[in-house]
Structures are given as structure tokens and as C-alpha cells.
Amino acid sequence: MSSVTAFSPPKLQKRVLKGHQKAVLCLAHSSERLAYCSTPKSTKRATEILVGSDAPVTEFLPSLLLSGAEDGTARLWDLRIGKTAYCMIVPRTEVGETLEVTSVAFHPSVVDVADEGMGNNETEHTNKSVLESGRECTVYLSASNHVYGYDLRYHASPSSTRIATSPEFSAKPSACPIIRSPHFDLSTSFQCTDEINQLSFSFENHNKSSKEYHLAAACDSGGVHICKDVPYKYTRQPLEIFATPRILHHADKGSQAITSCSLFRPRVNELHVASCGTDCTVKLWDVKKPRRPMYTMCIKAQTENQNSTQLCNPPFVHSLSWSPSGRLLVAGLGDGSCVIFRIEGRRLVEAGRLGWDYGGHSSAVAAVIFPCFGLCQTNSYTSQKALLNGSADDRLIMSAGNDGNILFWDLGLDIVGRETGCGDPSLYLSRQPNKDAAYKVGEDYSSHIPSKGDSVGSVLKTHKNNHHDVYDDDIPIDLLPSPPKVLFQIPHKKKTNWICSKAVDATSPCSFFVADTTREISAYTFPSL
């Protein structure tokens, strides 16, 4: 008989980013798309750099975080110094009303800079300090039914910026430039009639020589509005109005359901979009055929859930996330569970559901992501095949609930598939060798792993699905059961609005960021794993 080594949660460090004056609603990190866009060549190059190649590190972006808040501002954070690099103020309404920033996104050109090296000085208007600091990028944000773009290489225009010294924006004077006027206003092009909930850029089609990116906006009207050829360079020329946007009607007419999220699928040459909403459905679309979805999955409430606090919560779909390989899609639901879908052809197939019986959330799941830390490739915990097809990190997801907890899940090979060669996240996340020491984010939660039957907030030191099972030596390890399980949880203690992650690079470890009901952003950093 043999037993598997007990999983010991890592020791996390927490810090907060302060600057916004009201609750932070949305986040995006500059490295998020790298896991979805990597090619075999770039993956090999990244691995060489991360494991200690003598070559200069020029293919990695600086650690930039983009945030939007209820105060009507978006901030670009340089995480190397932990301060705001730029503050963007969205235009107010005609009556002077402040509009909340509901979604933010980096233009995919920021990934092109990582692949091709730092950009060159193309015009006299490009600010040299921006290039030297590695902050040149174009960002997009939504406010109400408007879509605005900012080319930060042209931030130094005297007519559009000033230094933030007014108490209106900060209690203390700051050297952070404030950008008052957007470089691009695509509101007319998108034709959204209601508040936008999420912006999502498409991925590069490797079959095409030209890079053509689409931007999707999921809005409260029940549709997903998509425009192509979204600009990323400001030329001081009048912006041409795009053709009529393609509209994917997620919600049925008369249903009054909203579209809460839409995301382009990575690693496919077609333009496929997943959408979800308060009609309790997840739909898969081909943008070239917008009249009807390729597949519709209706989600039913958990019948086996015995938690009384969840009986009145319908399975509204609040959040979606694609796995790095594009093979899996996870949905965070209002009943506290997460549903995993596998893509088979043009169909969505339910592969598993992570609910209360697996130690899940006791209230609605507000956000869920595949964190894409990139730790598998840096620690050689996966096969070369998995590195090339993007499935190396398909087993790890994060979910954040209205119960104030953030859970790290191992989906297991039973859901992901044994043929994928995915790495076991418990191997690179486990803290060794002292399993009794506490990792601290202010207190000891080294044993905070929920179990079936626990009351809300209670914890046990072991979990029936964790690595404490004993197996027969005669059974090959590839045939052992590998069900989903909670690896560990973080009691964040506040309702989450958004989560995003940062991939490991040659200069800093992986991190994830949490926006909640406060005006601060929580940054959790893993040790060097």
C-alpha cells in the first residue's frame, strides 16, 4: 500500500493598491492573454528564459494592471513600484453625471510588443519615458453604453492631461498624469443601448498574415455587440465609423434577461464566442453566422444541494472563463456552483459541476477564472505536448463567491481528460516541506479546506477528496481516480467584483488580484515555486 503526500497550501503575501475613491468594479492584467496566444516557438523561448537562459529578457511585458471603478476613472498600475502610472477619466454625461467604469481590457497589441520586443519610436509624438518604462499600450474601457480607447503613447498631450493634484482625485498630490479625453470613442460604432458588462478581444488567427482583432461588448440589453479592426494607434486623424456591428442576440425577445459575460474562444481559427446571462444559459456562437447560436446549454439548479441558503438562488450565469487550451469553459453560477463544459466539435458538453458537495461556495459565484500562472512549464510538471497545445494549466481554476471566499480547485483528470498531459497543480502549489507552518495573509488558514456538511465558515484540516487517500501499489497511477477537489481557500471576507491573474516571469512570481466592494485592490503573491 502507498499513500500520496499531503497537500500543504502555499504561503501567500498580500498587499493593497490604493488610489480609487469608490469601489473597484473590474480588472485586467497585461499578461493574461499570453497563455492563450503562445505558439510552439514562443512557448519554447519562454521556457528557456524562465529556467535560466543567459539570453536577455526582452519578450516579457512589465507587470501592468488595469482597473476601473465607480468613481468614473480607470487606472493603469505599474506593479514594479506599486503605484498608478496613468489615471483616465471617462467623459461625463451632459448633465455632469459620473459614469462607472464597468469593464477594462488591454488591446491585443500589448501582446505583440511582448512577442516582437519593445516598440520603436515611430513618430515624434511618442513619449520617450513611456517607452523606457515599458508602459506603451492601448487600453479600452466601457462606461454605461459607451466604449472608449486610450493610446497611452500619446498621453503627454497638454490639452488632454494634467498632474493629479486636486483633492477631487486624491487626498495627496500625485505625479500621476490624468488623461481627460479618450483617443477613440467607439460608442456610435457599437450601438449599445444599455450598460456594458464586459469587453473581450478576439485572438490572433495564425492562418492570416494580417492581424485583425474584434472587440465584443456584452450588455444589459441581452445582446453581444461585435466590431472589427478596433484601432490601437492614435493618428490625430478623424476616426472612421465602422460598419454596422454584428449583434449576437443572447437573450430571447421579451425575456428581459441581460448578457453578463461574453468571451472569444482561444486557439481556434474561427471567431467563436461564448456568452451567458440571467436566462440561465450558456451559448456558443460563430460570429460569421450571428443569427443563431451554434449550441445552447440550459443550466438547471442543483437538486442535490442541501444548503438552505442556496434554495432560492437560481443558476444565473455571472462569469465565464476559457482554459488556456480552449478545450474547456467554466461558468460561475448564482447557486454557488461552477459548471465545467468540454467543447466537442460545435457542442458544449457538461463535464462536471463543482458544488457544495465538493466543498464549494455557500452563495453565488461572482467570478471564476483559469489563472494561467504558467507554473507547469517553469517547473516541468507537464508533458511537452501539453505545453504546445496549451493544456498545461487546464486543471487549475479559481472561483470567488459572495460568501467572501476564494477557492483554488484542481479539476482532476476525470474532468480534464487523461490524454491531455495536464500537470497536477498540487505539485507546484504545495508548500514543502513543513506542512504544519501557517501561510499568512494576516492569520493562519493553512487548514481552511471546506468539507461536505460543514456549516458556513467552518473548516476541517483534511478533505475527503484531498491527497490523503491510500491506493494499492498494483494499480497504475494513470488509472487512479482523479476527481475534482478544493486544494485550499482564502477567506477574503468581502464580496468579490472581479479577479484576474498574472503569469510568472523571469523577474517576479505569479500573483492574482481581487476587486471587491471596497476602493482597494488586493494583490496576493505566491512565493517562488
Side-chain angles (χ1 to χ4, degrees):
M1 306 291 285
S2 62
S3 64
V4 183
T5 305
F7 175 79
S8 184
K11 183 179 180 180
L12 300 179
Q13 296 178 342
K14 178 184 177 182
R15 61 173 176 163
V16 295
L17 303 176
K18 299 181 180 181
H20 286 289
Q21 302 303 302
K22 293 185 179 180
V24 182
L25 301 178
C26 49
L27 299 170
H29 193 273
S30 56
S31 70
E32 283 182 299
R33 293 176 59 91
L34 292 178
Y36 298 94
C37 301
S38 59
T39 60
K41 180 179 179 180
S42 64
T43 298
K44 180 178 181 297
R45 173 62 176 151
T47 305
E48 291 175 352
I49 293 177
L50 289 171
V51 298
S53 171
D54 294 332
V57 181
T58 58
E59 296 181 25
F60 287 88
L61 291 169
S63 191
L64 302 177
L65 181 70
L66 188 62
S67 62
E70 291 179 352
D71 58 7
T73 68
R75 289 176 177 262
L76 183 72
W77 304 82
D78 189 340
L79 298 177
R80 296 171 298 182
I81 58 176
K83 294 181 180 180
T84 304
Y86 309 115
C87 178
M88 293 145 277
I89 304 177
V90 299
R92 297 191 177 189
T93 63
E94 295 179 355
V95 296
E97 180 183 0
T98 299
L99 299 178
E100 300 177 352
V101 178
T102 55
S103 181
V104 292
F106 285 93
H107 192 282
S109 60
V110 74
V111 176
D112 298 339
V113 172
D115 290 337
E116 300 171 3
M118 301 304 291
N120 53 6
N121 297 333
E122 296 182 357
T123 69
E124 61 182 1
H125 301 294
T126 305
N127 184 278
K128 183 178 179 181
S129 64
V130 180
L131 291 173
E132 291 176 346
S133 66
R135 298 171 186 165
E136 77 282 18
C137 57
T138 299
V139 300
Y140 276 84
L141 55 90
S142 63
S144 183
N145 62 335
H146 303 281
V147 178
Y148 300 115
Y150 298 82
D151 185 349
L152 299 184
R153 286 166 289 198
Y154 296 87
H155 78 284
S157 171
S159 61
S160 62
T161 63
R162 67 181 182 84
I163 301 300
T165 57
S166 170
E168 178 185 359
F169 305 107
S170 177
K172 297 181 179 180
S174 169
C176 163
I178 287 184
I179 306 176
R180 287 187 167 275
S181 301
H183 298 99
F184 312 112
D185 184 352
L186 306 186
S187 306
T188 304
S189 301
F190 275 88
Q191 300 179 12
C192 295
T193 59
D194 214 331
E195 183 173 285
I196 297 172
N197 295 310
Q198 186 169 17
L199 297 176
S200 170
F201 274 101
S202 63
F203 296 89
E204 180 181 355
N205 186 339
H206 295 286
N207 288 342
K208 293 185 177 181
S209 57
S210 62
K211 295 181 179 180
E212 180 181 272
Y213 295 108
H214 294 64
L215 179 60
C219 57
D220 281 354
S221 62
V224 180
H225 297 236
I226 300 176
C227 288
K228 67 176 182 178
D229 297 331
V230 178
Y232 71 95
K233 288 186 177 180
Y234 179 58
T235 61
R236 298 182 182 270
Q237 300 296 323
L239 184 65
E240 296 182 3
I241 301 298
F242 299 148
T244 303
R246 293 185 178 180
I247 302 178
L248 312 179
H249 296 283
H250 175 90
D252 295 334
K253 293 183 179 180
S255 66
Q256 296 184 343
I258 70 173
T259 306
S260 53
C261 178
S262 64
L263 291 174
F264 282 94
R265 182 185 177 189
R267 295 184 183 270
V268 291
N269 290 325
E270 296 81 9
L271 283 173
H272 290 175
V273 173
S275 64
C276 65
T278 56
D279 57 355
C280 304
T281 67
V282 175
K283 298 183 179 182
L284 188 63
W285 302 81
D286 185 342
V287 176
K288 295 181 180 179
K289 301 176 181 179
R291 296 187 62 182
R292 59 180 60 88
M294 292 191 298
Y295 198 80
T296 299
M297 177 65 73
C298 298
I299 300 177
K300 298 180 180 179
Q302 298 184 89
T303 56
E304 72 279 5
N305 191 352
Q306 301 300 319
N307 180 16
S308 60
T309 63
Q310 292 288 73
L311 294 181
C312 60
N313 292 337
F316 294 156
V317 190
H318 299 303
S319 178
L320 293 175
S321 180
W322 286 103
S323 69
S325 68
R327 296 174 55 254
L328 301 176
L329 179 69
V330 59
L333 308 184
D335 64 1
S337 65
C338 297
V339 179
I340 312 299
F341 300 103
R342 185 181 295 112
I343 311 300
E344 296 184 0
R346 300 169 70 88
R347 300 172 61 245
L348 293 171
V349 178
E350 185 172 330
R353 190 161 186 167
L354 312 178
W356 180 254
D357 54 335
Y358 283 107
H361 294 280
S362 60
S363 59
V365 177
V368 62
I369 62 169
F370 284 88
C372 305
F373 289 137
L375 291 172
C376 275
Q377 67 181 31
T378 61
N379 291 282
S380 301
Y381 286 134
T382 188
S383 66
Q384 184 67 19
K385 175 183 176 182
L387 288 177
L388 296 181
N389 63 23
S391 63
D393 291 305
D394 276 5
R395 280 181 61 169
L396 180 67
I397 67 170
M398 291 172 54
S399 62
N402 291 348
D403 55 5
N405 293 324
I406 300 173
L407 302 184
F408 280 75
W409 297 84
D410 175 11
L411 295 183
L413 294 178
D414 292 352
I415 287 182
V416 177
R418 299 177 184 274
E419 73 283 356
T420 59
C422 294
D424 185 347
S426 65
L427 294 178
Y428 56 78
L429 289 179
S430 182
R431 174 173 49 86
Q432 299 294 341
N434 184 6
K435 67 179 181 179
D436 296 323
Y439 79 97
K440 294 183 179 180
V441 185
E443 59 177 299
D444 176 3
Y445 359 106
S446 61
S447 61
H448 281 211
I449 302 176
S451 179
K452 182 178 180 180
D454 292 344
S455 60
V456 178
S458 65
V459 295
L460 293 177
K461 290 188 177 181
T462 61
H463 190 274
K464 66 184 182 71
N465 289 324
N466 219 342
H467 290 190
H468 298 281
D469 301 318
V470 178
Y471 302 112
D472 195 317
D473 287 331
D474 296 332
I475 302 178
I477 190 170
D478 290 340
L479 300 180
L480 293 176
S482 180
K485 56 181 172 286
V486 175
L487 292 176
F488 63 97
Q489 80 172 26
I490 299 174
H492 185 68
K493 300 180 181 179
K494 297 180 180 66
K495 177 183 177 296
T496 300
N497 290 328
W498 209 285
I499 52 177
C500 72
S501 61
K502 169 194 170 296
V504 64
D505 58 33
T507 60
S508 59
C510 57
S511 308
F512 64 94
F513 307 90
V514 183
D516 51 43
T517 53
T518 70
R519 60 185 183 181
E520 299 175 350
I521 301 171
S522 299
Y524 293 89
T525 302
F526 285 85
S528 299
L529 298 173

